[in-house]
Amino acid sequence: MKKLILMLCAVGLSGAAFAAGGEVNIVPKPLSVTLRQGTFRVTPQTEIAVEEKNAELKRAAEIFSEAVAPVVGGEMKTGKQGAIDVRIDPALEAEAYTLEVAPSGISVRGGSAQGAFYGLQSLRQMIVDGEGSVPAVRIEDKPYFGYRGGMLDPCRHFWTIDEVKEYIDILAMHKMNRFHWHLTEDQGWRIEIKRYPELTRVGSMRKETLFGQYMHSNEYDKTPYGGYYTQKEIREVVAYAAERFITVIPEIELPGHAVAALASYPWLGCKGEGYEVRTTWGVSTEVYCPGKETTFEFLQNVLEEVLELFPSKYIHIGGDECPKDSWKECPLCQQRIRQEGLKDEFELQSYTIRRVEKWLREHGREIIGWDEILEGGVSKTATVMSWRGSKGGIAAAKAGNHVIMTPNTHCYLDYYQTKDPVYEPQGIGGFLPVSRVYKLDPYDQLTPEERPYILGVQANLWTEYIATFAHVKHMLLPRLAAVAEVGWAYDRKDFEDFSHRMQSLRKSYDAAGLNYATYFFDGKDE
Ligand code: ACM
Ligand code: ZN
């Protein structure tokens, strides 16, 4: 604790550190920043020394070099020797790093290649901010939360592999370490499953899409829409993310949000016929039938292929927004309720989730589910993703379940960014400026004993009303930076100071050619 206080004093009252060499402004906020005299200038002739045998570290250095090349004037070489020295320091925690800049050279030390990668991300921000000239400084840094995620929905609108990679690049520059890929939905099934070709032949296409606002429009664009990722492409994305120390968590939705699967294989539903990939938004009453054994066989066979593609410990199984209408009418679902001694349809949902969880645990994985998995009872080993505000997550943590906080009150980046959104592109509604995102408190209402159950935070980007990738970035940036700072620097966050440092991160967005919303920078964050 004493050490922590000393470090915080080193940062001073403002996280923006000043000295003759300049200013250090990093988002998310480092643990300590101690400015020294002088600067180091990075040029294309500067070389990066990395341990040759450490392929992860070498790749991290190359990715860094590529990112700063437009500012530095060219890519720096990596080799055995160089003025930027990147190494592992086993005394540090895996995600921690120290970054020391002196007029004679730069040293980056990571507790692992991942820690070093984060040190290089901080250096990247400083190089862009100073146009190649970096002030002498010593930075010590490590994240507060272990889980720092971003979710993307490629089902409502589809994103190409290159766009998904750009999303991953954006997560990486914010020191996020999880990419939650929402791969199945009512409006489209997006992952190739070799055993069930109809999922992509039929389920990846919808015949048209609602035009305008859900509930207020009955106009359709009369244009077929679809897309999916082959298993080869998925492997490529998983590897791309891994080089950036991001684990990809696939979401295979059950028992609801399954209309595209039902349209592909109608025997998966209670009614057994008459399904069509959904062309409008909202929640469908057509869901998987857990009364049939064949539904579980299907889910396990799908998951078997999913596990081959994704090394992630966690598999997200959805669990949200599953109306019980069809189960109430279905003789097989009712029979299942009686046979298993279940009280009602909520317990049938719980039975379904537990059964899939059991199978996944037998295969060495754990589940994440949206907070509805609490209804009807949840196993102690399930991780709850709290989205309907924080209340589900609070209840789950109090019950001893692990939790990821992604409340729609703070983390739904598909919401509007200004109070009077006439100047914004069409959105789903809501109001979530950067300042409100920043107020996210993942520990709200939790005692010190309950807090360790909170694994971290996540930004969610649903795409009903987002049809272009430029719009994705407009919604994501700069609000993602606020989520990142809560995740990385919860114990040291300060909005005024963040706002100042964001002027520097903005330059990194510009240098990377990223589209972003300017409301916050224009003083219209309200
Ligand atoms: C959700 O937004 N339905 C998880
Ligand atoms: Zn049924």
Side-chain angles (χ1 to χ4, degrees):
M1 191 61 200
K2 214 160 155 192
K3 203 165 146 207
L4 181 67
I5 291 168
L6 281 174
M7 283 178 184
L8 291 174
C9 290
V11 183
L13 286 177
S14 163
F18 306 90
E23 222 182 276
V24 170
N25 290 301
I26 293 167
V27 181
K29 186 174 179 169
L31 193 59
S32 83
V33 176
T34 312
L35 263 160
R36 298 188 172 149
Q37 291 300 315
T39 57
F40 179 90
R41 171 154 282 282
V42 181
T43 72
Q45 284 71 48
T46 307
E47 294 192 14
I48 309 172
V50 285
E51 298 156 40
E52 280 292 306
K53 287 195 295 284
N54 192 331
E56 274 186 310
L57 199 62
K58 188 164 186 315
R59 187 71 194 115
E62 286 165 2
I63 290 168
F64 158 76
S65 174
E66 284 162 26
V68 294
V71 174
V72 169
E75 278 189 35
M76 293 173 271
K77 282 215 242 4
T78 60
K80 283 203 183 68
Q81 288 187 331
I84 302 179
D85 187 58
V86 187
R87 275 170 211 286
I88 306 295
D89 176 355
L92 294 171
E93 291 168 37
E95 290 196 293
Y97 70 89
T98 59
L99 170 58
E100 221 161 334
V101 180
S104 55
I106 296 176
S107 127
V108 181
R109 298 286 178 266
S112 64
Q114 185 174 7
F117 180 82
Y118 296 141
L120 290 169
Q121 291 308 310
S122 291
L123 183 57
R124 167 186 174 179
Q125 277 187 47
M126 290 164 71
I127 291 171
V128 173
D129 200 17
E131 292 166 17
S133 174
V134 187
V137 69
R138 178 176 168 83
I139 296 174
E140 297 187 0
D141 201 5
K142 63 176 186 177
Y144 189 88
F145 286 108
Y147 185 113
R148 305 178 303 280
M151 186 279 277
L152 182 63
D153 166 15
C155 297
R156 275 55 176 263
H157 284 99
F158 184 72
W159 313 108
T160 65
I161 288 297
D162 283 345
E163 289 163 340
V164 171
K165 286 181 180 171
E166 194 176 350
Y167 190 91
I168 288 167
D169 286 340
I170 293 170
L171 293 180
M173 83 188 282
H174 291 84
K175 304 190 176 97
M176 308 292 263
N177 60 8
R178 299 291 196 290
F179 170 49
H180 169 177
W181 207 1
H182 180 82
L183 287 166
T184 70
E185 253 307 338
D186 298 323
Q187 295 84 2
W189 182 282
R190 305 286 178 231
I191 170 174
E192 178 190 28
I193 300 294
K194 303 224 188 250
R195 190 169 177 142
Y196 297 111
E198 299 297 278
L199 287 173
T200 40
R201 196 185 67 80
V202 174
S204 74
M205 290 299 295
R206 57 177 180 258
K207 71 170 196 252
E208 57 187 358
T209 303
L210 182 78
F211 201 72
Q213 205 77 15
Y214 182 60
M215 309 282 262
H216 297 282
S217 165
N218 52 14
E219 258 186 87
Y220 289 79
D221 65 4
K222 299 187 176 64
T223 309
Y225 186 93
Y228 69 91
Y229 307 112
T230 65
Q231 293 200 351
K232 184 167 174 281
E233 288 173 322
I234 286 174
R235 286 183 203 282
E236 190 183 316
V237 167
V238 169
Y240 187 90
E243 285 183 338
R244 288 148 185 84
F245 304 93
I246 291 176
T247 303
V248 184
I249 300 177
E251 181 180 357
I252 307 297
E253 274 263 24
L254 62 106
H257 287 284
V259 177
L262 270 51
S264 311
Y265 296 100
W267 45 266
L268 290 167
C270 291
K271 203 167 70 203
E273 61 182 9
Y275 309 111
E276 140 174 305
V277 180
R278 195 168 163 89
T279 56
T280 184
W281 317 127
V283 175
S284 172
T285 53
E286 307 290 6
V287 303
Y288 286 117
C289 174
K292 299 177 192 169
E293 276 307 292
T294 46
T295 302
F296 289 97
E297 269 166 41
F298 167 85
L299 291 170
Q300 288 167 11
N301 289 334
V302 166
L303 287 170
E304 208 158 81
E305 293 191 30
V306 168
L307 299 194
E308 283 291 311
L309 297 171
F310 297 93
S312 165
K313 172 176 90 165
Y314 292 115
I315 304 294
H316 202 308
I317 49 73
D320 60 319
E321 298 179 320
C322 179
K324 310 296 187 282
D325 312 45
S326 71
W327 298 353
K328 285 185 182 147
E329 304 292 316
C330 171
L332 292 174
C333 283
Q334 292 305 313
Q335 186 183 21
R336 175 81 76 193
I337 288 177
R338 283 193 303 279
Q339 270 176 357
E340 297 293 332
L342 306 173
K343 198 169 78 205
D344 56 16
E345 287 74 20
F346 285 97
E347 288 200 358
L348 181 56
Q349 154 126 353
S350 177
Y351 165 87
T352 308
I353 303 285
R354 283 176 200 259
R355 193 165 157 180
V356 173
E357 182 188 9
K358 180 168 178 289
W359 186 90
L360 280 168
R361 288 186 69 79
E362 284 163 7
H363 290 76
R365 310 297 178 101
E366 296 182 22
I367 63 159
I368 300 175
W370 299 110
D371 59 60
E372 285 93 333
I373 66 169
L374 293 164
E375 297 164 2
V378 70
S379 79
K380 275 277 171 285
T381 43
T383 295
V384 174
M385 193 167 260
S386 190
W387 75 277
R388 295 175 298 174
S390 297
K391 61 183 187 309
I394 293 167
K398 288 189 185 297
N401 282 84
H402 281 145
V403 172
I404 296 150
M405 281 295 186
T406 181
N408 53 359
T409 48
H410 296 78
C411 297
Y412 267 42
L413 304 190
D414 55 336
Y415 287 11
Y416 285 120
Q417 311 186 47
T418 60
K419 206 175 268 167
D420 184 17
V422 283
Y423 299 107
E424 293 189 43
Q426 190 199 6
I428 197 162
F431 169 52
L432 191 49
V434 176
S435 57
R436 188 173 294 191
V437 177
Y438 199 84
K439 285 198 179 91
L440 169 65
D441 180 3
Y443 286 160
D444 185 29
Q445 299 175 45
L446 295 177
T447 64
E449 292 72 35
E450 291 156 356
R451 291 177 177 194
Y453 291 106
I454 306 296
L455 301 181
V457 297
Q458 180 171 290
N460 286 347
L461 198 48
W462 303 106
T463 60
E464 286 92 334
Y465 297 94
I466 302 174
T468 68
F469 201 66
H471 192 184
V472 164
K473 289 179 275 188
H474 177 89
M475 302 307 268
L476 195 61
L477 302 173
R479 292 183 291 183
L480 181 70
V483 179
E485 184 141 314
V486 177
W488 183 276
Y490 172 72
D491 55 345
R492 47 196 186 265
K493 71 191 183 92
D494 168 340
F495 185 64
E496 208 171 304
D497 178 49
F498 168 80
S499 302
H500 179 76
R501 282 177 286 115
M502 281 303 287
Q503 299 300 329
S504 151
L505 188 62
R506 179 182 193 171
K507 293 190 201 167
S508 286
Y509 293 167
D510 286 331
L514 295 170
N515 187 48
Y516 55 88
T518 60
Y519 317 111
F520 170 76
F521 298 112
D522 296 342
K524 294 186 186 132
D525 192 55
E526 53 184 15

